[in-house]
Amino acid sequence: MSMLEVNNLEVRYGRIRAIEKLDLTVERGEIVTLIGANGAGKTTTMRAIAGLLAASRGSIRFEDRDITKLKAYKRVPLGISLVPEGRGIFGSMTVMENLDMGTYSRSGKKADSELDRVFELFPRLAERRTQAGGTMSGGEQQMLAIARALMARPDMLLLDEPSMGLAPQFIRQIFRIIKEINAQGTTVLLVEQNANQALAIANHALVLESGRITKTGTGRELLADPSIKEAYLGVA
Amino acid sequence: MSGDWITFDLGRLVDSFWSTTLDGLTLGAIYALVALGYTLVYGVLNLINFAHSEVFIAGAFAVVFVLSGLGFGPSAPHMSLGLLILDIALAMIAAMLVSAGTALVVERVAYKPLRDKGAPRLAFLISAIGMSFVIQYLFFVWRGPSAEPNRTMYRPKPIFDVFGVIINSQQLTIIIAAVVMMVCVDQLVRRTKLGRGIRAVAQDPDTATLMGVNKERIIMATFMIGGALAGAAAVFYVMRVPAGVFYMGGFILGIKAFAAAVLGGIGNIRGALLGGLLIGLIGNYGATVLGDSQWTDVVIFVVLVVVLMVRPNGILGSNLGKVRA
Ligand SMILES: Nc1ncnc2c1ncn2[C@@H]1O[C@H](COP(=O)(O)OP(=O)(O)OP(=O)(O)O)[C@@H](O)[C@H]1O
Ligand SMILES: [Mg+2]
């Protein structure tokens, strides 16, 4: 049984069909990468898995449970956390308050060990506990968004373009941290335009074009694929 | 029309400055409690709940009915202080429940279906105004056009006399109780889990949902908190304006409370308190100087417009999402 099984998924914005006939499976412990051009439907797919968008067709199963109709806020305690495109930092809350929001769905339980873990992964956040989230730099906000998602102790972390807008050394750091989070036992579904590094760390990868999956394979296979090289890796 | 339809007499204000001020603060405390309902809902949904004035007047009707049932009439009853407090507490609980319930019905009937359909903002506005009329006319049909008879809870007694300034028991009760309630709401929003949820939804509903916040529950709670505060305000209103409980009474007070919320900075809890007290003072000073309470609203709105020209987001500006813990 796979951890996440998306079958024949279709999501619409009114009459526009943003994704259709989308199949995707993620095994426990994997890093799966989804790449695609602007407007291909990557964010739509992620939001549908997190429950922010309703499926007009198809099904989503998580840990052998049908969650297609489950409300988004109820998917968080099941172990699904999405770091949204654009990060979604609560700008006027401090770093600590943002991290606290991450524990919202499991309050009552102590979050000290999660806090230690995210401060270990992101030492800079520990120094900036009382800074307002909105005044952090883009890279720091991305770290905070990932840290906040980890506070919920997800079994599966969904990351929507975590490297967007970041400088190269920040991007390398983010990818290193994603690998580390995965090594610590969290399954990762990653959406990226930064295909090179995203494919390099992926066990499996899929290519999304105009709302449909057009290619699947291991990360390595897709890295070596000439058409992908041309379209997504900036190699002519 | 006689020549003195408006007079300007600062001397009148100088003579009665302290009593005008205290009464202004008393009215202002009531406005502030109602203003909180506008502000909380605006903070979370970016929506002016025009039916909030009717949420308030429903509570005022509840107060009158409960007091009647307990045997209160036009003149102050003879009863022990303990029993009086108990009776007022009963009236307040009833009013808070009725107003919170009304607010919840308004949200579920007028706004939720539109939200589910992703309706444009204008639709919410029309729905709000429609809901306001519906409730007004329900009271009109039920209770007729005239005000409910007075229910006097107690005769205000002077209790302090500081340098010739006399504060009476009614003013003291209303101002203290209202301020205490507002501090409680402020702390609720800043410190509790519900408050965190409210602030998160106010800032970014989708991200709040991704944190596991049940947005619909937060919205309902917000309407009910605002409603309960309006219900509490209704008790003080019946004390201070006993002849004001009729179908349009909510509209008349609501417009001032709304002005208070905007003046302080809509969506801002402390702004509602500040705006309420200022509107109470400004209205009373204006009416005293100009010689007739008919001028109260004119003065209030002139000041409001002038302030908004200087500070378009109100005095304290900002919104609920930006509240810091
Ligand atoms: N709220 C919306 N209403 C209507 N159409 C939308 C909406 N959101 C997205 N779309 C459309 O759905 C399609 C897929 O959008 P989506 O955001 O999923 O793309 P994406 O792959 O994440 O793109 P990017 O790389 O630019 O983030 C696009 O054609 C987009 O215009
Ligand atoms: Mg996207």
Side-chain angles (χ1 to χ4, degrees):
Chain A
M1 154 197 124
S2 309
M3 190 173 202
L4 179 74
E5 272 178 57
V6 177
N7 276 312
N8 194 31
L9 185 67
E10 177 186 284
V11 178
R12 296 162 160 275
Y13 296 105
R15 319 177 101 194
I16 306 163
R17 203 183 284 135
I19 55 173
E20 58 183 320
K21 300 203 173 93
L22 185 135
D23 294 324
L24 178 143
T25 52
V26 180
E27 305 296 334
R28 178 179 292 280
E30 277 189 326
I31 296 180
V32 172
T33 293
L34 189 60
I35 57 173
N38 292 121
K42 305 181 296 295
T43 298
T44 305
T45 305
M46 296 293 249
R47 290 170 75 84
I49 295 170
L52 291 175
L53 292 171
S56 51
R57 196 172 290 183
S59 70
I60 304 171
R61 297 183 73 81
F62 182 72
E63 299 202 308
D64 220 20
R65 175 174 169 183
D66 188 345
I67 59 165
T68 318
K69 295 246 146 33
L70 193 69
K71 294 246 166 47
Y73 75 92
K74 288 186 178 163
R75 300 188 193 191
V76 183
L78 286 187
I80 302 176
S81 281
L82 167 63
V83 179
E85 187 177 63
R87 304 163 190 134
I89 293 303
F90 297 113
S92 65
M93 294 190 192
T94 63
V95 168
M96 263 323 273
E97 287 178 290
N98 267 285
L99 292 175
D100 271 347
M101 281 308 301
T103 65
Y104 192 92
S105 65
R106 28 179 258 116
S107 64
K109 289 172 212 136
K110 276 246 180 199
D112 292 350
S113 62
E114 279 70 40
L115 203 58
D116 290 345
R117 177 184 173 207
V118 301
F119 282 158
E120 211 165 288
L121 284 167
F122 306 100
R124 189 176 302 208
L125 295 181
E127 300 159 14
R128 303 291 181 88
R129 278 170 222 245
T130 57
Q131 186 176 342
T135 64
M136 310 260 287
S137 79
E140 290 165 348
Q141 287 193 11
Q142 188 62 58
M143 292 178 174
L144 179 55
I146 296 173
R148 184 180 61 185
L150 290 176
M151 293 297 288
R153 247 195 184 154
D155 297 313
M156 177 175 279
L157 187 62
L158 312 177
L159 297 165
D160 193 348
E161 298 205 39
S163 76
M164 187 166 54
L166 303 187
Q169 81 263 27
F170 246 114
I171 295 180
R172 273 193 297 277
Q173 196 181 346
I174 289 276
F175 278 105
R176 206 179 56 239
I177 289 167
I178 293 169
K179 270 175 86 169
E180 191 168 335
I181 291 167
N182 179 249
Q184 290 172 2
T186 308
T187 307
V188 175
L189 177 57
L190 173 65
V191 156
E192 264 300 337
Q193 304 230 23
N194 217 304
N196 220 329
Q197 298 182 67
L199 291 176
I201 64 168
N203 300 97
H204 283 95
L206 306 92
V207 180
L208 193 59
E209 276 175 50
S210 311
R212 288 164 179 265
I213 301 283
T214 53
K215 219 164 229 155
T216 62
T218 64
R220 204 165 297 190
E221 280 164 7
L222 293 199
L223 262 181
D225 187 308
S227 65
I228 293 200
K229 271 189 181 159
E230 193 178 333
Y232 302 103
L233 302 176
V235 187
Chain B
M1 188 176 279
S2 64
D4 58 354
W5 61 279
I6 180 166
T7 61
F8 190 87
D9 186 353
L10 264 181
R12 259 192 315 252
L13 179 57
V14 174
D15 291 341
S16 65
F17 182 76
W18 286 109
S19 65
T20 306
T21 302
L22 281 173
D23 188 55
L25 289 174
T26 308
L27 286 168
I30 299 172
Y31 300 153
L33 280 176
V34 179
L36 272 177
Y38 288 104
T39 261
L40 285 169
V41 167
Y42 183 84
V44 169
L45 289 182
N46 276 315
L47 160 81
I48 306 291
N49 177 17
F50 276 109
H52 189 58
S53 46
E54 279 57 55
V55 165
F56 160 78
I57 207 67
F61 276 102
V63 173
V64 168
F65 297 155
V66 169
L67 290 179
S68 305
L70 292 169
F72 286 78
S75 52
H78 297 283
M79 55 166 62
S80 70
L81 183 63
L83 204 57
L84 178 66
I85 291 176
L86 182 71
D87 284 355
I88 293 177
L90 277 178
M92 183 168 289
I93 291 168
M96 289 171 94
L97 288 175
V98 166
S99 287
T102 308
L104 190 61
V105 169
V106 167
E107 138 57 21
R108 291 280 110 172
V109 172
Y111 305 137
K112 169 88 164 59
L114 293 176
R115 205 163 53 239
D116 288 347
K117 293 216 161 54
R121 274 191 175 211
L122 191 59
F124 286 88
L125 196 66
I126 301 293
S127 192
I129 293 170
M131 205 62 198
S132 173
F133 278 126
V134 167
I135 301 175
Q136 265 180 37
Y137 285 97
L138 281 177
F139 279 115
F140 178 80
V141 170
W142 182 26
R143 305 302 297 173
S146 51
E148 300 293 319
N150 287 8
R151 304 290 158 197
T152 306
M153 289 171 241
Y154 58 96
R155 200 184 355 248
K157 288 199 197 79
I159 37 176
F160 285 134
D161 184 339
V162 200
F163 306 121
V165 180
I166 297 161
I167 192 168
N168 72 42
S169 51
Q170 190 186 73
Q171 293 166 334
L172 196 70
T173 317
I174 294 177
I175 294 171
I176 291 182
V179 170
V180 167
M181 283 181 200
M182 290 206 237
V183 170
C184 289
V185 174
D186 192 60
Q187 291 302 306
L188 175 110
V189 170
R190 274 158 210 272
R191 308 227 184 276
T192 65
K193 183 176 177 192
L194 176 62
R196 276 199 295 153
I198 290 175
R199 284 187 288 143
V201 172
Q203 275 193 51
D204 182 344
D206 275 353
T207 306
T209 303
L210 292 176
M211 305 291 110
V213 177
N214 180 350
K215 186 180 106 187
E216 290 298 318
R217 239 189 73 201
I218 294 289
I219 291 171
M220 288 195 281
T222 304
F223 272 88
M224 288 177 72
I225 295 169
L229 291 165
V235 175
F236 305 137
Y237 177 77
V238 173
M239 282 182 192
R240 173 58 185 76
V241 194
V245 185
F246 71 118
Y247 76 106
M248 284 281 284
F251 176 77
I252 293 167
L253 184 127
I255 198 97
K256 297 191 188 81
F258 175 58
V262 174
L263 181 68
I266 188 135
N268 186 316
I269 291 178
R270 291 175 184 184
L273 175 59
L274 180 67
L277 296 179
L278 282 177
I279 292 284
L281 287 175
I282 293 163
N284 253 17
Y285 290 154
T288 306
V289 170
L290 298 176
D292 191 333
S293 63
Q294 301 290 348
W295 290 103
T296 307
D297 288 0
V298 177
V299 174
I300 287 173
F301 281 92
V302 167
V303 171
L304 178 64
V305 169
V306 171
V307 171
L308 289 183
M309 284 197 278
V310 186
R311 292 190 65 92
N313 293 317
I315 298 172
L316 298 185
S318 101
N319 60 46
L320 192 59
K322 296 201 182 115
V323 166
R324 300 284 299 275

